[in-house]
Amino acid sequence: SDSAPIFYEYLRPPCVHQHFFNNGQKIIAGSIGSDLVVNDSMCADPRYYLAAESCCPPGWESNGDSAIRICSYNGERMKYSSAIDRCKTNDLDQCNPKKMARNICTDTVAYSWSAAGCSVRAKISFEVGHQVARVDNPQQDWAGKRNVKNIVRADTINFFQVPWRGNIEAIPTNRASCDALSSCYSVVDGCICDTHVVETTGFLSTTEISTMIDVREMLRVGAFNPEMFDTGEYSNLGNCGVTGLTVYTRNDGYCSSLDTSTVFLFTDDFGVDRYLKNMVSNVHVDGITPDLFFRNAVHFIDFADRNARDMHYETDAAIDTFFYHPTHAPFLSIRIIQRIAGISNPSPKYVERVSTAYKNGSFMGQFGSGKYGDLGAMVAAALLDPEARSVSLDIDPSHGHIREPLIKIISFFRSMETKLSAPLSVPLLYSGISKTIGQGPYRSDSVFSFFQPEFAPAGVITSAGLVSPEGKILDFRLINLLNGLYSTVKFGYSMCYGGFGDTNLGAACPRQEGVVTEDALGELTYTGNPNSTPDDILDDLSLLLTSSRLSETNREIIKSSFENIYLSGNKAKGIRIAQQLMVSTPEFHSTNLSKPNGNPRLISTYQNNPSGHYKAVVYFEMEGGADSFNLLVPTGNCKNGKDMFAEYQRARGRVKLARNQLLNIDASGSDQVCNTFGVNKKFPLLQKLYAEKQALFIANAGVLAKPLTKYDNWHKESKVHLFAHNHMRNENKEIDPLNENTGTGIGGRMLDILRRQGFHTSSNMVDGSSVFAKGSAFDNNPTWNVNLKAPEVIDKYSTVGPDMLDIVKELNGESESDNSVYGETFSTRITQSLYEYEEGLKMDEMMDDPDFNMDEYPYGSDINDKLRATAQFMKMRGERKVNRDAFIVTHEGYDSHTETVDEVNSKFKSANDALQRFIDEMKRQDIWDDIVIVMGSDFGRSISSNSNGGTDHAWGGNYFMIGGSLNGGQILGEYPEHLSSASNQWIGRGRLIPSTPLESIWNGVANWMGVHDENDLDHLLPNRDNFKKCIMFTDKDLFIDGQVPSSTCSITNPPTLAPVNSNPTTLSPIPLPTPLPTPVPTVFSTKGPTSQPTTPVPTAVVTESPAPAPTSNP
């Protein structure tokens, strides 16, 4: 025939391999030369198609003939019995070759069968949980070597979890107990034992099966659909009396006579057909009586034939595991409800209803396909649930949410009938909008989106035990959002005066409000009805912009502001005033009922100068997880002559540093594993300050709930979500692993205590928001957002006039006790932002004064400018009337999964240069001795490198402190004596459990800042009693001017899992340097809850502020 040939490709269905098997056969790869050495070998199950033949002439044991391959096609694989037959057909023997040359048959098949045997052993980890790895023991080659493939070699770290059964007390837990077993021998990280596999029939008869649950609990080995086999090979016996089960047997079997070839079919809870083989495969550890065994584990990827197909199958299986996990539906339901239905804190019943729709694939019989995992059914359930639609719930203070910035902008444009005039090729929102308002289309700062679902802003939401994800971006950018909305009302959709447009197409900005910019991208066309009264306009705008939730108090404020102008005939201007004031209300920014009471919102401010001298702590956060084991490296003069630098280089692999990339420091007085360490050459400032006794390191520190080693159940007892950016980042800034002071940070709590003592405090977040700065609502400690540059004038060419911002403050005044927690949060935040804006303008005016200008401090990188803004804010400390500051400054970009060493080092260089300029300015201000900088990061990174040449999330890391008063030139904590599994802190994958808790660092810093009382310290660090007293550094350990003596380990508190937190309102009285501030009517709230609400929906969110603290000792 002249027709073109048709080629078929066989794509094998997903299939797994058992890790352990009996009667293993050795397979080999590569050429074998005259040295008789096999360079790559391992065990293979002779029952499977894994390797090619190795054929030798008869008598091969004594002669030196090379083995040959006789493939039918390139890439052919076969079972071991087939290899024997292939060789025999050609008058040859399947052999254990002494020599082998490569030929065309070896192009795509790496391995060949050998006649040599190979036993499969289990490597049992000494760590808690006793994970297992496979170790192959092939017969030696003719040169007396084994050269086992690294993934199944004795030093493998490829451990996996197994369910241990039988005599579990006999599991070897250390080298001594291992070596006592005749069938085992110990290595550093485990016990390697001989094994044998026992495969038994799960059910001999269906009479042993009561329900499908019995099958699911007993059987773990999957099977192919029997219908795939040749007709007659399997018989369908029906359910054999077990509802929901289908039984297939080979060769006309019977329900009463089942064997390991029997296959069971049932449909699981998710509607998925599952096929299980009637076989139980257990791996028994030899030499232990009674038997110790575990279920045989499986893997998708064939060790002898690694290919993309199986990797896809394994990935699919992993995704299926998550997809069908029982927590998946409620987890996703909460996210959908928060994001789409707009309910930040859904009730458990609401979540259950949405989860059920997702699992059933149907809602109300009208939405969904009827299959598990139907997103349409889930979204319909979320949107149409009574909890999402009931108007009566608007009165509930905790119902609803804070609206997202982009949603507010788009909603405003649509409601105000925006008419676009820009061509489609012109972007409507300018590219920098994410930085300006905190959110932009497709411009999330990270993979974690614009905010985290569990975020709780400081104040009533945190105090009520609620969350508000959108509250994450309720910061200084609120001013930009309002200014953009004002500009759009006054000048159209353009880039003029803070507008949201990307371009004006070359047109100049108007110099009069109410004039639409020429070539604007669009304009608002809402005019209301020509016969509308002011009340009609307010009704209309309230409906369109607040869903008719505008309170009577705010309605009267807006009406009085625009009514006269509107009635005088200038209706357009009157409407512009009403529009701008409407978008300034909490009702526009949140989705339940706000209840302002008409009183001005107050602020606790400082009228008098503080009497004590100034001190500040700067938390320098290397966000993303800094590779701090390339920041501090052991280089020489180590204990017992050990070469720690060589161990460091072996452990770090592709991310190791050479000696010429390090600057040596003397650690001889620090009792570390080595007397000489190296600091990364890109951070020379640390070496310089260390030599000047103004820098110190804390080795292998991190978040800990209690002292732990790898022999503990560390994953459970750590009490934190390990290795995840969002959780670990917060843990590092909260220092509260047991959640005794939920929603507060270490900086905020420290200043709360100092403020009670009479210090004038300020908690400051530089160019962002952070839990670090949050204190308790009871203390109402001032919190500032520090901008990188002087504020731009907002509301330019104001429609209202100079009273505009005062009216906005009035719209966001004090509220009733049952006010919306979201409206309250917005009002608190916007009034604080306006105060910061007004104070920023005053500070900017002072910059012309020689006493305050920063001309010697140049602008530069992002982190440089953040530290510059910090220094400028410190310079204004007298005008701010504070003598205790806490700052958080974040340097992003340390998540180095794929980055090279050079790229990570570039981050260190950027930090080095920025910190050097900052220190120079501190010295010019003559306050370097009064500043301490504490470096932190999400977590340490893995010691070992990953396959991409980077590192992964780990736990313990090395941190530094720098400051003019530090007792520097020392390394505190405990640098690991082993950078391998020999360390008691090693938990696999290059991760180390910290040996020093972060509480140790902050205990000493808090002492230095003025926190000395034990009750105060217990409130600040509620977890510290879980550690020995001597682990807690004091200010005498850390600073040359410290006052609190060092502790000794003879004074200890027994560790507990849940320390009792002291009541912060009943602390021992302390002498107060100055009186506490007096409330004056400006913009900060003085209200705060006196206690944590006991129900999820608080009936009274806020109460009156506490009485002032005493001004002197009783």
Side-chain angles (χ1 to χ4, degrees):
S1 171
D2 294 332
S3 60
I6 299 175
F7 295 92
Y8 295 91
E9 178 184 6
Y10 170 67
L11 192 62
R12 193 190 72 188
C15 188
V16 295
H17 302 267
Q18 292 179 319
H19 265 289
F20 296 88
F21 44 86
N22 298 326
N23 305 314
Q25 208 67 34
K26 180 179 179 180
I27 56 176
I28 57 178
S31 302
I32 306 175
S34 58
D35 59 1
L36 309 182
V37 173
V38 175
N39 293 312
D40 185 351
S41 67
M42 61 179 172
C43 300
D45 192 328
R47 298 173 294 177
Y48 300 121
Y49 298 81
L50 298 175
E53 73 289 351
S54 300
C55 299
C56 297
W60 55 269
E61 297 93 336
S62 56
N63 62 36
D65 294 336
S66 292
I68 60 173
R69 302 273 292 274
I70 314 168
C71 58
S72 298
Y73 54 88
N74 192 359
E76 184 183 20
R77 297 170 181 80
M78 60 191 71
K79 297 185 292 186
Y80 182 62
S81 59
S82 299
I84 294 174
D85 292 341
R86 173 68 57 81
C87 294
K88 187 177 295 185
T89 300
N90 291 276
D91 297 325
L92 300 170
D93 293 339
Q94 168 63 45
C95 61
N96 179 18
K98 295 182 178 179
K99 296 179 183 178
M100 179 180 287
R102 299 188 67 86
N103 63 14
I104 190 172
C105 291
T106 64
D107 285 351
T108 58
V109 180
Y111 286 92
S112 304
W113 290 106
S114 164
C118 189
S119 59
V120 181
R121 293 170 166 172
K123 181 179 180 181
I124 305 168
S125 170
F126 292 139
E127 297 176 15
V128 171
H130 304 294
Q131 294 184 329
V132 166
R134 172 178 144 186
V135 173
D136 287 0
N137 182 42
Q139 182 180 318
Q140 294 178 348
D141 60 25
W142 292 97
K145 299 181 181 299
R146 287 192 170 88
N147 291 336
V148 181
K149 192 172 184 65
N150 61 342
I151 58 174
V152 287
R153 208 164 49 203
D155 61 354
T156 181
I157 59 173
N158 294 315
F159 289 100
F160 48 88
Q161 196 81 28
V162 297
W164 285 100
R165 299 289 185 266
N167 186 15
I168 58 176
E169 292 79 8
I171 296 175
T173 57
N174 52 48
R175 301 195 74 161
S177 60
C178 174
D179 292 332
L181 299 172
S182 60
S183 61
C184 305
Y185 69 93
S186 67
V187 291
V188 171
D189 57 342
C191 184
I192 299 177
C193 299
D194 292 331
T195 66
H196 67 278
V197 176
V198 176
E199 294 180 346
T200 58
T201 302
F203 299 98
L204 297 175
S205 169
T206 55
T207 58
E208 299 174 5
I209 304 172
S210 300
T211 66
M212 286 193 304
I213 296 175
D214 296 336
V215 176
R216 295 165 66 173
E217 290 181 349
M218 169 73 76
L219 305 180
R220 302 290 181 176
V221 180
F224 289 120
N225 182 350
E227 306 292 346
M228 296 171 55
F229 294 89
D230 292 340
T231 302
E233 184 160 349
Y234 271 92
S235 301
N236 185 337
L237 304 183
N239 66 14
C240 290
V242 182
T243 303
L245 197 66
T246 302
V247 182
Y248 293 90
T249 60
R250 232 174 191 143
N251 303 321
D252 298 323
Y254 300 94
C255 296
S256 59
S257 179
L258 308 179
D259 57 25
T260 57
S261 68
T262 301
V263 174
F264 297 111
L265 164 65
F266 64 91
T267 303
D268 67 14
D269 297 337
F270 305 104
V272 179
D273 287 344
R274 302 290 185 184
Y275 295 90
L276 294 178
K277 193 173 183 180
N278 188 29
M279 183 182 75
V280 176
S281 179
N282 287 319
V283 181
H284 291 244
V285 180
D286 289 351
I288 295 179
T289 305
D291 282 1
L292 171 67
F293 58 94
F294 56 87
R295 190 175 71 236
N296 205 347
V298 298
H299 55 95
F300 278 85
I301 299 172
D302 187 344
F303 291 169
D305 178 27
R306 301 166 112 183
N307 60 69
R309 173 202 64 204
D310 292 338
M311 296 175 188
H312 285 296
Y313 286 153
E314 185 171 52
T315 302
D316 285 343
I319 293 173
D320 281 350
T321 299
F322 294 125
F323 184 60
Y324 294 114
H325 194 277
T327 63
H328 167 67
F331 175 87
L332 187 60
S333 295
I334 293 173
R335 302 298 182 265
I336 292 293
I337 293 169
Q338 286 182 325
R339 297 274 55 80
I340 295 180
I343 310 296
S344 290
N345 296 277
S347 70
K349 285 294 185 181
Y350 186 9
V351 174
E352 181 183 19
R353 291 190 293 270
V354 176
S355 299
T356 300
Y358 181 72
K359 290 187 286 188
N360 294 341
S362 176
F363 180 68
M364 298 176 63
Q366 301 178 48
F367 303 94
S369 62
K371 295 181 179 178
Y372 173 86
D374 192 295
L375 280 173
M378 170 178 274
V379 171
L383 292 175
L384 300 177
D385 191 272
E387 197 165 322
R389 302 183 66 197
S390 175
V391 177
S392 63
L393 286 174
D394 282 354
I395 200 170
D396 181 347
S398 68
H399 187 71
H401 73 141
I402 295 170
R403 301 172 75 199
E404 301 174 50
L406 269 181
I407 297 297
K408 287 183 278 197
I409 292 172
I410 301 304
S411 171
F412 180 72
F413 282 7
R414 295 180 65 183
S415 299
M416 295 298 99
E417 303 171 18
T418 302
K419 180 181 178 182
L420 299 177
S421 56
L424 293 177
S425 60
V426 175
L428 296 181
L429 293 174
Y430 75 99
S431 56
I433 195 169
S434 183
K435 284 286 186 184
T436 303
I437 68 170
Q439 194 176 40
Y442 315 115
R443 290 187 175 91
S444 173
D445 290 338
S446 74
V447 297
F448 301 108
S449 189
F450 303 98
F451 35 74
Q452 283 74 56
E454 67 277 1
F455 181 81
V460 293
I461 290 177
T462 292
S463 299
L466 304 173
V467 300
S468 176
E470 301 85 358
K472 174 72 174 176
I473 46 182
L474 277 187
D475 52 29
F476 61 92
R477 292 170 291 194
L478 268 180
I479 293 284
N480 300 328
L481 174 64
L482 288 187
N483 192 43
L485 292 170
Y486 299 162
S487 176
T488 303
V489 172
K490 293 182 291 186
F491 308 110
Y493 188 11
S494 71
M495 63 182 294
C496 290
Y497 311 120
F500 303 126
D502 195 58
T503 179
N504 284 354
L505 299 176
C509 293
R511 296 184 178 273
Q512 180 181 346
E513 77 85 23
V515 177
V516 176
T517 307
E518 185 179 354
D519 291 330
L521 302 178
E523 62 179 300
L524 309 184
T525 64
Y526 172 85
T527 59
N529 190 296
N531 299 319
S532 294
T533 65
D535 283 316
D536 293 335
I537 293 296
L538 282 174
D539 288 340
D540 206 18
L541 291 178
S542 176
L543 173 65
L544 293 171
L545 298 177
T546 74
S547 299
S548 296
R549 286 190 294 263
L550 185 65
S551 66
E552 283 301 318
T553 300
N554 282 346
R555 181 187 180 95
E556 288 303 314
I557 294 172
I558 297 173
K559 182 178 179 180
S560 65
S561 300
F562 89 98
E563 183 176 30
N564 290 339
I565 293 176
Y566 184 85
L567 293 177
S568 70
N570 195 347
K571 293 185 176 182
K573 183 175 182 179
I575 289 175
R576 289 197 299 275
I577 293 173
Q579 287 171 323
Q580 292 175 70
L581 294 179
M582 191 70 71
V583 299
S584 304
T585 64
E587 293 93 328
F588 174 73
H589 293 270
S590 59
T591 61
N592 58 350
L593 291 180
S594 291
K595 299 181 180 181
N597 61 21
N599 296 322
R601 197 168 284 269
L602 303 178
I603 176 175
S604 292
T605 188
Y606 303 109
Q607 296 181 327
N608 303 317
N609 291 322
S611 60
H613 75 282
Y614 178 78
K615 283 187 177 182
V617 57
V618 179
Y619 182 66
F620 187 79
E621 180 187 28
M622 294 182 171
E623 188 178 88
D627 189 0
S628 54
F629 279 94
N630 270 5
L631 188 64
L632 183 68
V633 178
T635 55
N637 299 313
C638 305
K639 292 180 179 178
N640 303 318
K642 184 176 182 179
D643 190 345
M644 275 296 293
F645 184 70
E647 181 170 331
Y648 156 84
Q649 289 205 311
R650 285 194 303 272
R652 300 244 63 191
R654 294 165 65 182
V655 296
K656 66 180 181 292
L657 297 177
R659 286 191 183 276
N660 62 6
Q661 293 176 290
L662 297 165
L663 303 171
N664 281 342
I665 59 173
D666 181 9
S668 56
S670 298
D671 192 26
Q672 297 292 339
V673 63
C674 297
N675 288 334
T676 305
F677 279 75
V679 175
N680 193 299
K681 193 174 183 179
K682 297 299 181 179
F683 228 133
L685 174 66
L686 292 179
Q687 184 205 36
K688 175 177 176 292
L689 292 176
Y690 185 92
E692 295 171 355
K693 310 297 184 184
Q694 294 182 357
L696 58 81
F697 291 92
I698 304 96
N700 195 30
V703 175
L704 280 174
K706 59 180 293 188
L708 294 170
T709 71
K710 67 182 180 182
Y711 302 109
D712 297 307
N713 191 351
W714 53 267
H715 203 286
K716 179 180 179 181
E717 295 186 51
S718 63
K719 302 297 181 183
V720 297
H721 295 274
L722 295 174
F723 318 128
H725 282 293
N726 52 341
H727 292 288
M728 294 291 279
R729 187 176 298 156
N730 281 342
E731 295 287 356
N732 274 271
K733 290 177 283 196
E734 292 173 351
I735 316 296
D736 184 19
L738 300 179
N739 294 318
E740 296 286 338
N741 296 298
T742 303
T744 64
I746 183 67
R749 292 199 302 277
M750 180 164 56
L751 294 185
D752 287 346
I753 295 168
L754 293 172
R755 188 165 185 262
R756 292 177 212 156
Q757 296 180 19
F759 289 102
H760 290 198
T761 62
S762 180
S763 192
N764 312 299
M765 301 171 288
V766 181
D767 195 37
S769 61
S770 172
V771 69
F772 171 86
K774 292 183 188 178
S776 72
F778 176 89
D779 291 282
N780 192 31
N781 197 51
T783 302
W784 282 73
N785 285 108
V786 180
N787 293 323
L788 301 192
K789 57 182 181 180
E792 297 181 2
V793 176
I794 65 173
D795 192 31
K796 201 157 186 181
Y797 303 109
S798 177
T799 313
V800 175
D803 296 332
M804 175 65 176
L805 298 187
D806 289 334
I807 297 174
V808 174
K809 294 175 191 176
E810 192 177 355
L811 291 168
N812 290 279
E814 289 289 358
S815 58
E816 301 295 341
S817 60
D818 57 347
N819 184 38
S820 158
V821 295
Y822 310 109
E824 177 70 17
T825 299
F826 170 79
S827 293
T828 301
R829 190 55 248 173
I830 190 58
T831 48
Q832 180 172 334
S833 295
L834 288 172
Y835 177 76
E836 292 169 357
Y837 164 75
E838 292 167 337
E839 292 297 305
L841 291 177
K842 295 176 186 177
M843 292 181 187
D844 188 47
E845 292 175 1
M846 295 178 186
M847 288 299 102
D848 294 331
D849 187 322
D851 291 337
F852 296 106
N853 75 61
M854 300 274 289
D855 293 344
E856 294 184 71
Y857 199 147
Y859 287 97
S861 65
D862 182 65
I863 186 58
N864 177 89
D865 293 351
K866 288 179 179 179
L867 287 169
R868 188 185 188 280
T870 303
Q872 185 168 343
F873 209 66
M874 288 180 175
K875 202 164 192 176
M876 297 291 178
R877 60 193 178 276
E879 281 59 39
R880 294 186 291 119
K881 296 180 173 57
V882 300
N883 61 349
R884 287 295 184 273
D885 265 328
F887 295 85
I888 177 167
V889 180
T890 300
H891 190 201
E892 297 90 353
Y894 284 89
D895 194 16
S896 50
H897 288 287
T898 59
E899 284 79 355
T900 64
V901 168
D902 289 341
E903 289 171 324
V904 174
N905 285 351
S906 71
K907 299 299 298 182
F908 288 150
K909 184 180 187 307
S910 178
N912 177 89
D913 297 347
L915 285 168
Q916 180 64 71
R917 287 181 175 177
F918 179 76
I919 292 170
D920 292 342
E921 176 61 28
M922 294 297 96
K923 291 178 178 178
R924 285 192 290 270
Q925 294 185 29
D926 197 27
I927 56 172
W928 174 230
D929 289 347
D930 305 315
I931 306 298
V932 63
I933 301 171
V934 181
M935 172 253 181
S937 196
D938 308 19
F939 34 62
R941 301 199 74 83
S942 59
I943 302 294
S944 52
S945 60
N946 59 33
S947 59
N948 291 320
T951 52
D952 295 323
H953 303 178
W955 196 350
N958 304 311
Y959 301 100
F960 63 78
M961 293 173 59
I962 55 178
S965 293
L966 272 182
N967 180 23
Q970 57 177 330
I971 301 174
L972 301 174
E974 183 179 349
Y975 196 93
E977 293 193 9
H978 304 280
L979 297 177
S980 68
S981 57
S983 170
N984 287 341
Q985 307 306 114
W986 183 277
I987 52 175
R989 295 184 62 186
R991 294 166 167 170
L992 290 167
I993 299 174
S995 49
T996 299
L998 296 180
E999 282 85 351
S1000 295
I1001 302 171
W1002 288 107
N1003 192 84
V1005 171
N1007 287 166
W1008 182 73
M1009 289 287 282
V1011 183
H1012 298 157
D1013 184 84
E1014 289 295 309
N1015 288 333
D1016 287 340
L1017 289 167
D1018 287 341
H1019 170 63
L1020 175 67
L1021 302 166
N1023 190 51
R1024 74 182 190 129
D1025 282 347
N1026 273 358
F1027 301 93
K1028 293 180 178 179
K1029 285 284 186 180
C1030 61
I1031 297 296
M1032 295 294 115
F1033 306 136
T1034 69
D1035 56 353
K1036 269 195 174 297
D1037 295 317
L1038 302 181
F1039 298 91
I1040 57 175
D1041 58 349
Q1043 301 177 32
V1044 180
S1046 301
S1047 298
T1048 63
C1049 275
S1050 60
I1051 307 173
T1052 63
N1053 286 335
T1056 58
L1057 284 178
V1060 179
N1061 183 33
S1062 60
N1063 186 342
T1065 65
T1066 59
L1067 302 179
S1068 302
I1070 298 174
L1072 305 179
T1074 60
L1076 275 180
T1078 304
V1080 299
T1082 53
V1083 293
F1084 280 114
S1085 170
T1086 57
K1087 291 189 173 183
T1090 57
S1091 63
Q1092 186 84 353
T1094 57
T1095 58
V1097 181
T1099 56
V1101 178
V1102 291
T1103 61
E1104 292 299 327
S1105 58
T1111 56
S1112 61
N1113 279 330

